[in-house]
Amino acid sequence: MASDAVSGPGRQLTALARAVAGVGIGFRVVVFHRPGRPPSAFARYLDEAGVEHVVVEDRGPLDWRLASRVRRVLERWQPSIVQTHGYKATAVAYLLRRLYAPVPWIGFFHGSTTEDLKARFYHWLDRQLLGGAERIVVMSPAQARDFRRYGRRVHIIYNAALEPARAGAPSERDHVAALATRLRRPIIGVVGRLSPEKGVDLFLDACAGLARNGLVFSALVVGDGPERGRLEARCRQLALEPCVQFLGQISDVDVVYRHLDLLVLPSRSEGLPNTLLEAMCADVPVVATAVGAVPDVVGTSSAARVVTPGSAAALGEAMARAVMLGDSAADAAARQEVVRRFSIQRRVDAHLQLYRDVLDERCHRAS
């Protein structure tokens, strides 16, 4: 996995590694890291979680020797299966299959970002190269349709509902808690990467509509990304600075959820957003757009208010209703039912069956 930050897929992978260890499966993680950058926060997270891993030097997009460095690690570990997360890991696995003795490969597709031409190209390449894997795992039926040309090799495995991360320095937690005590209620939040597909611009437009209609509220935008500067400028343009604050990247998102009255997921596209499941674990009411697996998670329940994507008006109307009508015992019960259905054990069972299928298929071909 190529990740310096502790991302949603990284947290899911770590939880899976710890869980399958309980049934006797060894799970080791290769983390790509650019020299000269600060130490990998994801590697530290794996270390704290007790997950065996190795950091492999990644010298950039044209580092053709990365595959040989990973090959040496795999020769030492002798894995039964390799699974990849992200376009760089996909490219390395694809090269290893073409140049060396192949190891059964399961490729995971978590979704794509659209912030620039380079990102779009990398995600396009990821989708093409994943066709070389024995199995392709996606996060939603919509993503499965995008990979339908690969037929029965495509599987949907939903993310698990994980407790929000409790990490970072105590000073960060204290800062967020102190800020929340000064803000006017209700506090509405967005948590995630600030990139175009996350729809935070729609959230700001919806907030402007609430303010024009005289609703008193505060809003927190938690996360960082390529769109931050543009979004902050949009916030100023909409005269939202008195009620909207950008907090940047927060390691201890648990403290954020503890102070939110409503979480909003305004995404234009998603797989299965970890933020949705985290909010439900933290028992925070949710307004979300009907993208990716969100409709599958919520169904017809009141676990979240689900609206048409791409519409600031629809988003703002749902936010206003959620704030004015408040939460109910039935809503809370629906959220806990989602948490129960999307347990880590369910994810583990799906992975174990997938591993068995891949290895049985390999043995059948060998015989």
Side-chain angles (χ1 to χ4, degrees):
M1 175 175 266
S3 177
D4 284 332
V6 183
S7 62
R11 291 188 64 233
Q12 292 286 336
L13 185 65
T14 304
L16 176 67
R18 297 183 67 181
V20 298
V23 293
I25 294 179
F27 202 106
R28 295 166 176 170
V29 181
V30 176
V31 181
F32 301 155
H33 179 65
R34 292 279 187 92
R37 290 186 178 177
S40 169
F42 181 46
R44 184 172 64 251
Y45 181 77
L46 289 167
D47 193 48
E48 292 169 353
V51 175
E52 187 173 354
H53 62 281
V54 64
V55 177
V56 173
E57 186 177 85
D58 167 18
R59 296 171 187 165
L62 300 180
D63 183 8
W64 300 108
R65 295 184 179 180
L66 177 61
S68 64
R69 289 193 287 273
V70 173
R71 180 194 177 198
R72 288 195 292 271
V73 172
L74 298 182
E75 287 175 342
R76 189 166 68 248
W77 282 352
Q78 291 294 305
S80 302
I81 291 174
V82 168
Q83 62 182 58
T84 58
H85 302 263
Y87 60 81
K88 180 152 286 188
T90 295
V92 168
Y94 185 87
L95 282 173
L96 290 176
R97 286 186 69 90
R98 293 296 178 269
L99 299 176
Y100 307 108
V103 175
W105 170 27
I106 301 173
F108 285 68
F109 182 79
H110 296 276
S112 57
T113 60
T114 58
E115 65 260 29
D116 56 32
L117 184 61
K118 182 172 74 172
R120 290 195 291 273
F121 170 73
Y122 284 152
H123 290 297
W124 173 84
L125 184 64
D126 189 24
R127 289 190 291 271
Q128 306 312 305
L129 299 183
L130 279 169
E134 270 90 350
R135 296 292 187 276
I136 302 167
V137 176
V138 297
M139 309 295 119
S140 72
Q143 289 180 342
R145 288 191 291 273
D146 290 341
F147 284 91
R148 60 185 175 273
R149 65 186 179 279
Y150 299 117
R152 296 175 63 185
R153 286 191 289 148
V154 180
H155 292 253
I156 301 170
I157 298 182
Y158 291 117
N159 289 333
L162 304 178
E163 293 286 341
R166 299 176 183 179
S171 58
E172 179 185 74
R173 189 178 188 89
D174 293 344
H175 169 71
V176 174
L179 172 64
T181 61
R182 299 193 301 269
L183 296 178
R184 302 177 75 175
R185 294 280 181 176
I187 302 176
I188 305 172
V190 168
V191 178
R193 190 168 187 267
L194 303 186
S195 51
E197 74 282 356
K198 296 299 183 182
V200 181
D201 57 322
L202 298 171
F203 172 71
L204 294 178
D205 290 347
C207 286
L210 298 185
R212 283 195 301 269
N213 291 331
L215 187 67
V216 175
F217 68 96
S218 299
L220 298 176
V221 178
V222 180
D224 215 336
E227 288 284 284
R228 180 168 179 175
R230 192 178 73 84
L231 292 169
E232 288 178 329
R234 179 66 174 160
C235 183
R236 290 190 295 271
Q237 182 184 8
L238 294 170
L240 288 172
E241 290 176 291
C243 58
V244 176
Q245 297 202 36
F246 286 76
L247 300 188
Q249 192 69 36
I250 299 291
S251 300
D252 194 339
V253 292
D254 174 66
V255 70
V256 175
Y257 288 117
R258 285 177 183 272
H259 293 283
L260 291 183
D261 299 298
L262 177 67
L263 178 88
V264 179
L265 283 154
S267 303
R268 292 181 170 90
S269 67
E270 284 283 359
L272 171 48
N274 286 287
T275 304
L276 173 68
L277 298 175
E278 287 176 350
M280 293 195 178
C281 279
D283 200 25
V284 178
V286 176
V287 168
T289 50
V291 293
V294 171
D296 304 281
V297 172
V298 177
T300 58
S301 78
S302 61
R305 296 175 186 272
V306 180
V307 302
T308 302
S311 170
L315 194 66
E317 181 180 345
M319 289 161 59
R321 292 188 65 188
V323 166
M324 291 187 290
L325 296 179
D327 200 23
S328 70
D331 297 340
R335 290 193 293 271
Q336 290 312 302
E337 175 60 18
V338 168
V339 172
R340 186 194 65 78
R341 286 194 297 115
F342 289 85
S343 67
I344 185 64
Q345 187 58 52
R346 172 180 171 169
R347 186 169 170 84
V348 168
D349 291 345
H351 275 79
L352 294 180
Q353 185 60 54
L354 185 64
Y355 298 157
R356 284 191 288 266
D357 291 347
V358 168
L359 293 177
D360 287 349
E361 184 179 283
R362 176 59 67 97
C363 289
H364 179 73
R365 285 206 305 264
S367 63

